[in-house]
Amino acid sequence: MSVAGVALVVLALLATLPAIAPLWEGTTAPETVWLPVAAGLIVMWAVTPPDRRNAIDVRTRDAMKGHPIVRELVWLVVFLLCFIGGTVALSLLFRAVSTDIPFVMAVPAVRVLFLFVMAVFFVDRAGFTLDGHGTAMPALAMGVGERWRWIGLVPIGVALVLGARTMHPLDVPDPRLLLLVAVVAFTAIAIPEEIFFRGMLQTRLELLLGRWGGIAVGAAVFAFTYAVMKDYVEVAPRGIRHVDHPLITSFATYGVLGVLYGYTWSCYRNIWLNVLLRGGTLTLAVAPTLRLIG
């Protein structure tokens, strides 16, 4: 698709907003997620050169040579379960010690410990220590020198603009609260989770299941995690009209978002783009209703 074609798609999507935005005001229906995700996926597919995307796939496979993929996936699942169990246990401990302690303060510490520190040390660093292969993928993901691997800023911008318009058509949050939300969203959630779910988990799933198999399973694990932890995380899944089931709600929101996050990672292997997209989405979604107390 040409640049003009992409521009027409974006303009068409933006043109629909004045007509449909009033239908969403005052609701947390997942339509506020689906439109930005659909637009992001379409534009990302249109602007990403297929030959460059295939080339980065080859570099990814080369970077992962020597890794015991199945064994590493088992370790990642163990750390994910530790994150879920540790969050619940520490939250209950906080509640038992004092009702003045916000129980969600337990989540960032447990998240960073199990989804970042332990995962990196026992999966990537352990591989480096044993056979020298462990740091190749982190270097590829963080050392982004090629210009084309920043093309993803275009679809990310489209998705965030649409998300901002549909999530907050009338309400602009206080700038101080917005800054607080952004700091929490990026440092305590986006960085450790994108490294874990996309950089580590999805990469290995793609090697076993292919691109879309890895994206789908990774998004499902992501959504299931938030469904299980709906009462213990800083950001609960957005609701659906007439549906009160955490698994359905989570898959309709976090699962759908996980597809966009996963496709972004698969196209560019640029962890900074994923952190920007995830942190920006969280900031837009949570700014007016950040939950700081239990």
Side-chain angles (χ1 to χ4, degrees):
M1 185 180 293
S2 65
V3 175
V6 173
L8 288 174
V9 170
V10 175
L11 289 174
L13 288 166
L14 291 174
T16 65
L17 289 177
I20 60 180
L23 301 176
W24 300 344
E25 293 177 10
T27 181
T28 55
E31 290 94 331
T32 58
V33 172
W34 296 343
L35 176 61
V37 167
L41 289 172
I42 292 170
V43 177
M44 196 172 300
W45 169 81
V47 303
T48 306
D51 56 334
R52 298 292 180 88
R53 185 176 57 204
N54 293 334
I56 203 70
D57 283 345
V58 173
R59 292 175 61 186
T60 300
R61 288 193 293 271
D62 290 341
M64 295 298 294
K65 283 181 179 178
H67 282 261
I69 301 301
V70 175
R71 188 171 68 196
E72 290 179 346
L73 281 171
V74 171
W75 273 111
L76 292 174
V77 171
V78 168
F79 293 136
L80 182 59
L81 293 175
C82 289
F83 165 58
I84 295 172
T87 297
V88 174
L90 194 56
S91 298
L92 294 175
L93 178 62
F94 278 17
R95 284 173 170 170
V97 171
S98 173
T99 56
D100 295 330
I101 303 177
F103 73 86
V104 294
M105 289 182 63
V107 185
V110 180
R111 179 186 287 115
V112 170
L113 175 62
F114 288 111
L115 300 191
F116 180 71
V117 176
M118 299 293 285
V120 169
F121 182 80
F122 281 96
V123 177
D124 277 336
R125 296 304 301 179
F128 173 72
T129 302
L130 295 175
D131 54 34
H133 291 284
T135 58
M137 192 62 211
L140 176 64
M142 294 186 291
V144 185
E146 305 93 332
R147 291 182 180 178
W148 77 267
R149 291 174 66 193
W150 292 99
I151 293 175
L153 288 171
V154 176
I156 286 174
V158 170
L160 291 179
V161 167
L162 290 175
R165 182 65 183 89
T166 58
M167 287 178 180
H168 304 297
L170 298 176
D171 182 23
V172 178
D174 182 274
R176 293 169 297 179
L177 179 59
L178 189 62
L179 178 60
L180 174 61
V181 173
V183 170
V184 173
F186 279 90
T187 62
I189 304 176
I191 292 175
E193 288 199 358
E194 286 307 297
I195 289 174
F196 181 88
F197 284 106
R198 257 57 67 175
M200 302 185 75
L201 182 65
Q202 182 183 309
T203 298
R204 288 160 176 81
L205 288 172
E206 284 188 63
L207 292 174
L208 293 179
L209 306 174
R211 182 191 308 278
W212 283 106
I215 291 173
V217 174
V221 172
F222 181 58
F224 183 78
T225 300
Y226 270 86
V228 172
M229 297 184 64
K230 67 181 181 67
D231 294 325
Y232 298 95
V233 290
E234 307 95 324
V235 187
R238 298 174 68 85
I240 306 175
R241 293 189 201 93
H242 313 304
V243 176
D244 187 23
H245 192 289
L247 194 60
I248 296 175
T249 298
S250 189
F251 269 80
T253 53
Y254 278 93
V256 172
L257 285 167
V259 173
L260 178 59
Y261 300 152
Y263 190 56
T264 301
W265 172 247
S266 183
C267 284
Y268 307 109
R269 308 296 180 191
N270 182 342
I271 199 64
W272 308 117
L273 288 182
N274 274 83
V275 169
L276 175 62
L277 176 58
R278 179 78 189 286
T281 302
L282 287 168
T283 301
L284 292 174
V286 186
T289 56
L290 181 66
R291 187 171 72 201
L292 292 177
I293 58 175

